[in-house]
Amino acid sequence: MAFTLLTILVVFLITLFVNIPIAIGLAISGMVVVLMEGSIPLSFFVQSTFGASDSFPLLAIPFFILAGEIMSTGGIAKRLIEFVQNLVGSITGSLGLITIIASFIFAAISGSGAATVASIGAITIPYMLKNGYTPAYAASIAASSGSLGPIIPPSIIFILYGVMAGVSIGDMFIAGLIPGVLMAVALVTINYIISKKEGFGGSENFVKQSFWKSLNEAKWALLAPVIILGGIYNGWVTPTEAAVVAVVYSLIISVFVYKEFKVSELMEVFLRAAKVSGTIMIFVSAASFFGKVLALKQIPQYIAMVIADFTTNPIIILILINIFLLLVGMFMETVAAVLLFVPLLLPIVLPLGIDPIHFGIIVSINLSLGLITPPLGINIFIASNIAKIRFEESLKYFFPIFMSLIIILLLVTFIPQLSLFLPELLSK
Amino acid sequence: ACSDKEGAEGAEGEVIKIRMANQVDEGNFLNQGYVKFKEVLEEKGKGQFAVEIYNGGTLVGSDDGIVEALKSGSIEISTSSAYGTANTTGVNGFKLFDMPLLIDNRESFYNLLDGEFGEGLKEEVAKNNNLKVLGFIDLGFYSILNGKKDVSTPADLKGLKIRSSAADLHLDSLAAMGANPTPLSYTEVFTGLQQGAIDGVSTTTPLIYGDRFFEINKHLTLTNHVLLPHVLMINGDLYERLTDEQKSILEEATAEYIKYARELSIEAEKEAVEGMKAEGVTVTELTEDQKEEFKKVVAPVIDKHINEIGKDVYDKAIEELNK
Amino acid sequence: MNKKKRPIEAYLSFFLLLSMTIIMFIGFVFRYVFNASLSWSEELSRYLFIWFIFISMSYAVTERAHIRVEALNRLIPLEIRKYVNIFGKCIWLVFSLFVSYLGVTYAMTMSSSVSAALKLPMSVVYFGIPLGYALMSVRLFVQIIQAFKDPYLEVANDLAEESYIEGEEK
Ligand code: NA
Ligand code: NA
């Protein structure tokens, strides 16, 4: 047992060391164990690769990515921002506030954090810079608003978690709503405090339209989250169908209504989605194979046993898991972390009576915080790139923003009802 | 790594490692049966067999996958549904058991499977696949649960969206029975029922009970339109490697397991139906006349799909069933 | 629009994703508008998805987009790192060729199985896996050859980032 575990770790670290992608590194590590074991045929790799890929719920992933790409290319993201701008005007920190609210709405149509920053930040960061916000703050607030992406449904990591834990993806989506709103509230609060202190205001060169006019401009964009989430919550569509509807809807609006999407751009947009889906899905299949090899060697049970020997107090275990996941999130990409660690953690927490949906939300918040933690924080990379500053410079405001989100994480961890209230309410 | 000599001497002296896989929870009766198989085989084998069970889909996540894994030797012994076995072995005779309202009772069902017809299926599997069928069990009769009304005739099912697998025979059967069949992935069923995306579900009573669908829907009809067989199989190469003594130990263990598993299934059904009654579910049993009515409406479905099974195979089965 | 030359995987991925979108949407319309479920749309899009996954996996290689943990690799001094990374790519290539071989042999064993709704031969569905890995092997092979001519190609990303940061400091 310990020897196998050590072998896996060493092989895996070597593959990372020589710059092999994590998915391929996992597959190689699993394959080495299979070769050592001798009693498992090598075709097991092909079988489990196929088994993991042949999944209707996972089909939602390329579609949600594609929908996000179309919406940011075709003018939907832009109109959301203009609408919110008219809504909040020029109060203290209003451009930060606009970024948060627009990200919140965009998160309700996009499945990932990076997509949210790239779409909203690309527009609001230059705007903040023009109006006297420091580049560091502009980048920080856009990056951390992006961490709403995977928590406000739809969410790619909810889909992956649901498939792995065998819980309803629809339930996961509903469960993410209150925690997502709380995270947004935390961001709004901290934005107000920092903006007040630093004197960040609204935009000066902005022509305010009437509320109704701007609502009219943005109505098709605002309808997108209503259609997606409403469709899922009312049981009209499964999450996978909702994703397809989102793609078709956003295409129609972008091409025919806003007329900002040229058909010649179609291939480019599809290819951006293909590239991201390809990297995620190859990860899914490799991690599934890896997980099965671990299961064959009974390693999850072994780890669960070691932890159970140490403590069975659910509060201590949840705190330890939170710390562990925050550390993981520092170094690892979200999808990778979910696929790697959920199969290891579920056998530990389920016997303690922790609800798998509640646990899914805890895991997701932890890892979405990883999007804004150094050294690997994809949201900060994207945002600092837009703000044209170095990664390290954008960290100036990191601590207060991060701490405000940690408070929400702790609330969600220890008040299961924040995650479970809505799914239970809707089941009545 | 622990085998010293293989080949002509067979597997003597070697501990035969047997991996079994299923997709159900630890407490599910299918898994309980596996545990029994493990106990009996290890005890009778006196150290010659070591059985490991991987439940909950940790190793293989689908019925088709289980048969593929058995063929290639990723696992050694397991059960898979007749449907999954048909898909992956090319033996279409197994699809007989998805025909609606063909099987009235377990007695004739097992007469068919334990008799000549079952032998024919076993031979056909072995002919083209690296597999040996050890025997047959069942996971219970299919029922229909819905949230709208008591159902006792095809007309009552009219307009009800009932969740089904995506297999065309299942879809056609439900449609013929009057329902509006809706394919949905199984993990979405509970939420689907809650939110009204579907009005009901067609599956075995132990699953309806175990996955707590009855908490949302209160009308259960024991349509018994399909009795779901599971086929116990062993990897062909492994079987060939066993010594004669080991083969007879395996045979004894299998016999004991099969008897036990068939009883478990009956008990699980009873427990499910009584448990649901206690929870306030109205349970409708069909009268002979009502059953005839359902049989009448599904007749065209059988005709439509008969060629997938083979007319001769089908006729032979009917003949044996009517004996 | 700049007409850049795209690899074959790009056209295949585009075609597959577009087909999946159209088929799924038709399935959706039939179920919700005409209240009649198509039995084949779910299955066909699932199987197209399998081909899509492995072909876009190879496409992502051409774009050097696969997810890595860079922290460990960056511990190595740049001059050594470029050779280490070529070595890593060679291991990756060997693995990829190996899976192509496994996939083809496995797909061939599936010749007797057909899918539930469309009666597609399952060997065709499975073939998407080795095809993707074989295409990926070709891409990796080409990148390795290029890297032998110019080893800095394998650390190009790191270099770009470092020079970008230096540029900012000036
Ligand atoms: Na989202
Ligand atoms: Na991070």
Side-chain angles (χ1 to χ4, degrees):
Chain A
M1 178 77 59
F3 179 70
T4 316
L5 197 56
L6 191 70
T7 314
I8 292 176
L9 266 175
V10 170
V11 175
F12 185 51
L13 286 178
I14 291 175
T15 61
L16 297 186
F17 201 67
V18 300
N19 209 33
I20 291 176
I22 317 177
I24 303 292
L26 281 178
I28 293 176
S29 314
M31 198 74 105
V32 167
V33 176
V34 168
L35 286 168
M36 276 170 36
E37 163 82 25
S39 71
I40 310 162
L42 287 164
S43 60
F44 186 61
F45 178 77
V46 185
Q47 281 163 8
S48 64
T49 299
F50 183 86
S53 316
D54 183 18
S55 160
F56 192 68
L58 291 182
L59 252 173
I61 290 177
F63 292 128
F64 275 132
I65 296 173
L66 183 56
E69 290 286 350
I70 296 170
M71 289 176 194
S72 55
T73 309
I76 290 183
K78 195 177 84 187
R79 280 176 183 73
L80 283 178
I81 292 164
E82 285 168 0
F83 170 70
V84 177
Q85 211 164 28
N86 274 289
L87 211 61
V88 298
S90 54
I91 55 172
T92 303
S94 69
L95 287 180
L97 187 59
I98 288 166
T99 306
I100 298 165
I101 298 176
S103 298
F104 181 90
I105 302 174
F106 194 79
I109 32 186
S110 136
S112 84
T116 310
V117 187
S119 309
I120 302 299
I123 304 172
T124 62
I125 291 174
Y127 215 66
M128 286 192 269
L129 298 184
K130 239 184 272 168
N131 288 282
Y133 284 59
T134 61
Y137 186 68
S140 299
I141 200 69
S144 36
S145 303
S147 64
L148 297 171
I151 307 299
I152 308 285
S155 153
I156 287 163
I157 56 176
F158 286 177
I159 296 172
L160 291 171
Y161 180 88
V163 168
M164 271 187 295
V167 299
S168 155
I169 294 163
D171 275 353
M172 284 299 297
F173 279 11
I174 297 166
L177 212 52
I178 293 180
V181 170
L182 289 177
M183 284 172 70
V185 169
L187 288 175
V188 167
T189 314
I190 201 77
N191 172 61
Y192 183 79
I193 296 173
I194 295 177
S195 299
K196 182 136 203 181
K197 188 166 153 256
E198 306 271 343
F200 300 146
S203 59
E204 280 134 31
N205 47 3
F206 164 66
V207 187
K208 197 167 158 58
Q209 297 173 309
S210 82
F211 172 78
W212 294 111
K213 185 148 185 284
S214 75
L215 180 67
N216 190 42
E217 284 274 308
K219 63 175 185 278
W220 298 110
L222 287 168
L223 209 55
V226 175
I227 290 175
I228 296 172
L229 298 184
I232 296 173
Y233 297 161
N234 288 311
W236 298 330
V237 290
T238 63
T240 310
E241 287 169 336
V244 177
V245 172
V247 168
V248 175
Y249 177 81
S250 52
L251 258 183
I252 291 174
I253 297 303
S254 306
V255 174
F256 297 110
V257 182
Y258 293 155
K259 300 193 172 77
E260 287 191 19
F261 189 98
K262 291 192 275 316
V263 178
S264 57
E265 288 173 297
L266 195 68
M267 184 156 176
E268 200 56 50
V269 170
F270 270 64
L271 285 182
R272 283 206 294 271
K275 190 170 72 184
V276 179
S277 319
T279 58
I280 292 180
M281 285 307 303
I282 194 62
F283 213 118
V284 171
S285 70
S288 155
F289 167 69
F290 186 73
K292 283 171 179 173
V293 171
L294 292 188
L296 271 169
K297 304 303 290 181
Q298 318 254 324
I299 286 172
Q301 291 91 325
Y302 175 73
I303 295 176
M305 205 181 67
V306 171
I307 292 180
D309 278 351
F310 172 64
T311 177
T312 50
N313 181 328
I315 294 183
I316 295 178
I317 289 183
L318 279 179
I319 291 176
L320 289 177
I321 288 178
N322 274 326
I323 295 171
F324 173 73
L325 287 173
L326 285 171
L327 287 173
V328 165
M330 285 175 66
F331 296 99
M332 205 175 239
E333 197 272 337
T334 326
V335 170
V338 168
L339 290 167
L340 258 186
F341 294 109
V342 165
L344 289 176
L345 294 174
L346 272 177
I348 300 173
V349 298
L350 292 186
L352 303 174
I354 294 166
D355 189 284
I357 291 178
H358 176 212
F359 187 63
I361 303 295
I362 296 176
V363 170
S364 305
I365 295 184
N366 269 299
L367 296 177
S368 71
L369 288 182
L371 295 169
I372 57 164
T373 54
L376 177 69
I378 182 85
N379 282 12
I380 312 183
F381 277 124
I382 297 173
S384 49
N385 224 327
I386 300 171
K388 298 201 172 57
I389 49 168
R390 294 168 49 181
F391 180 81
E392 303 89 287
E393 286 177 65
S394 67
L395 295 178
K396 191 178 158 198
Y397 298 95
F398 168 74
F399 192 71
I401 296 179
F402 184 73
M403 286 319 289
S404 72
L405 293 173
I406 287 286
I407 294 171
I408 306 302
L409 171 65
L410 289 173
L411 286 177
V412 170
T413 302
F414 295 112
I415 310 175
Q417 279 309 310
L418 293 177
S419 313
L420 300 176
F421 173 71
L422 279 184
E424 279 167 13
L425 181 77
L426 281 167
S427 72
K428 293 280 150 60
Chain B
C2 51
S3 65
D4 32 12
K5 263 189 207 168
E6 283 183 75
E9 295 164 12
E12 208 161 356
E14 174 195 351
V15 178
I16 310 280
K17 194 159 116 185
I18 293 192
R19 288 173 291 225
M20 301 177 77
N22 63 46
Q23 306 154 63
V24 297
D25 295 342
E26 206 166 353
N28 183 288
F29 70 95
L30 178 67
N31 193 58
Q32 286 172 16
Y34 276 36
V35 172
K36 176 78 172 181
F37 184 84
K38 172 185 160 79
E39 283 167 9
V40 177
L41 186 64
E42 285 180 348
E43 188 203 301
K44 287 187 190 292
K46 297 193 174 64
Q48 294 185 69
F49 294 99
V51 183
E52 291 164 5
I53 301 171
Y54 299 92
N55 70 305
T58 44
L59 214 51
V60 195
S62 70
D63 285 5
D64 289 14
I66 282 184
V67 186
E68 298 299 346
L70 279 168
K71 281 199 224 171
S72 66
S74 302
I75 56 178
E76 281 76 20
I77 297 181
S78 287
T79 67
S80 179
S81 66
Y83 195 80
T85 311
N87 280 344
T88 44
T89 60
V91 181
N92 289 325
F94 282 111
K95 289 188 184 163
L96 178 81
F97 300 98
D98 282 302
M99 286 294 200
L101 292 151
L102 198 68
I103 308 288
D104 281 323
N105 58 68
R106 280 198 172 79
E107 203 190 340
S108 61
F109 174 77
Y110 281 121
N111 281 339
L112 186 67
L113 280 169
D114 295 342
E116 218 180 292
F117 185 81
E119 281 306 314
L121 292 176
K122 285 182 181 178
E123 276 168 29
E124 230 189 302
V125 169
K127 206 164 61 187
N128 294 317
N129 299 278
N130 180 24
L131 288 172
K132 181 178 164 56
V133 174
L134 297 172
F136 304 95
I137 62 166
D138 76 84
L139 296 192
F141 278 105
Y142 270 49
S143 303
I144 295 179
L145 177 80
N146 84 85
K148 297 264 158 131
K149 56 184 167 189
D150 288 341
V151 167
S152 52
T153 64
D156 296 334
L157 277 173
K158 193 111 199 107
L160 294 184
K161 279 180 278 180
I162 304 292
R163 185 266 171 186
S164 158
S165 83
D168 47 358
L169 181 50
H170 298 170
L171 294 169
D172 288 351
S173 301
L174 279 174
M177 288 163 75
N180 182 359
T182 309
L184 190 68
S185 88
Y186 192 78
T187 48
E188 295 301 323
V189 170
F190 196 88
T191 312
L193 291 172
Q194 277 177 350
Q195 295 162 10
I198 45 176
D199 304 314
V201 55
S202 157
T203 185
T204 65
T205 44
L207 279 180
I208 292 175
Y209 188 58
D211 291 325
R212 310 194 72 76
F213 299 148
F214 68 87
E215 286 181 2
I216 309 155
N217 287 352
K218 298 291 182 190
H219 309 274
L220 179 70
T221 306
L222 304 179
T223 46
N224 293 2
H225 53 286
V226 164
L227 178 53
L228 178 67
H230 252 222
V231 186
L232 180 71
M233 287 170 280
I234 180 170
N235 171 271
D237 292 337
L238 176 69
Y239 187 77
E240 290 309 317
R241 270 198 318 123
L242 297 180
T243 62
D244 288 344
E245 189 211 351
Q246 288 167 334
K247 279 182 188 162
S248 70
I249 294 170
L250 178 65
E251 201 173 315
E252 283 173 43
T254 302
E256 203 169 323
Y257 160 73
I258 284 186
K259 187 163 169 290
Y260 180 78
R262 289 179 185 179
E263 281 165 12
L264 268 185
S265 172
I266 297 170
E267 272 170 41
E269 269 186 348
K270 208 180 284 173
E271 193 194 331
V273 171
E274 258 142 46
M276 283 190 270
K277 276 182 183 161
E279 298 272 355
V281 175
T282 55
V283 179
T284 308
E285 285 182 61
L286 299 181
T287 64
E288 281 308 309
D289 286 350
Q290 287 164 339
K291 204 156 199 180
E292 281 308 313
E293 212 180 321
F294 274 107
K295 278 188 185 172
K296 211 166 70 193
V297 295
V298 298
V301 176
I302 296 183
D303 289 341
K304 181 180 164 193
H305 290 275
I306 207 161
N307 286 332
E308 286 166 33
I309 303 168
K311 180 98 171 76
D312 48 333
V313 179
Y314 178 80
D315 289 342
K316 199 172 138 211
I318 295 298
E319 193 187 315
E320 285 204 32
L321 277 173
N322 290 338
K323 257 183 205 164
Chain C
M1 273 217 68
N2 60 331
K3 287 257 187 265
K4 72 171 179 184
K5 197 174 173 313
R6 293 196 171 102
I8 178 80
E9 289 94 326
Y11 295 97
L12 286 172
S13 308
F14 171 68
F15 168 76
L16 288 166
L17 186 53
L18 188 64
S19 318
M20 281 152 56
T21 311
I22 294 169
I23 291 165
M24 290 273 304
F25 192 69
I26 291 174
F28 166 81
V29 169
F30 265 80
R31 183 181 317 166
Y32 289 92
V33 182
F34 304 121
N35 218 3
S37 299
L38 298 176
S39 62
W40 53 268
S41 68
E42 190 252 11
E43 187 183 278
L44 183 58
S45 37
R46 236 174 342 108
Y47 291 156
L48 288 174
F49 182 44
I50 290 172
W51 274 60
F52 169 74
I53 291 171
F54 296 96
I55 287 171
S56 54
M57 162 186 86
S58 180
Y59 173 60
V61 172
T62 69
E63 297 271 310
R64 296 180 190 252
H66 282 288
I67 305 165
R68 291 184 164 86
V69 175
E70 281 149 7
L72 273 179
N73 186 247
R74 299 245 172 129
L75 294 175
I76 311 171
L78 192 68
E79 283 307 307
I80 308 173
R81 198 193 309 160
K82 59 191 187 192
Y83 297 112
V84 167
N85 290 4
I86 298 178
F87 172 70
K89 207 154 241 179
C90 291
I91 298 181
W92 183 4
L93 171 63
V94 170
F95 172 78
S96 177
L97 285 169
F98 184 54
V99 175
S100 315
Y101 164 76
L102 283 180
V104 170
T105 34
Y106 193 71
M108 292 199 305
T109 67
M110 306 291 298
S111 52
S112 61
S113 311
V114 294
S115 69
L118 283 160
K119 316 293 175 212
L120 280 172
M122 288 307 286
S123 46
V124 173
V125 180
Y126 270 84
F127 189 69
I129 299 175
L131 178 66
Y133 273 93
L135 287 168
M136 180 159 84
S137 306
V138 173
R139 298 302 168 196
L140 291 171
F141 182 74
V142 171
Q143 287 180 3
I144 289 168
I145 299 292
Q146 287 169 342
F148 269 116
K149 289 181 194 148
D150 178 9
Y152 279 104
L153 276 176
E154 285 307 310
V155 287
N157 280 342
D158 315 5
L159 282 176
E161 219 162 273
E162 278 157 29
S163 68
Y164 170 68
I165 289 167
E166 276 162 22
E168 282 296 303
E169 277 178 344
K170 271 169 203 162

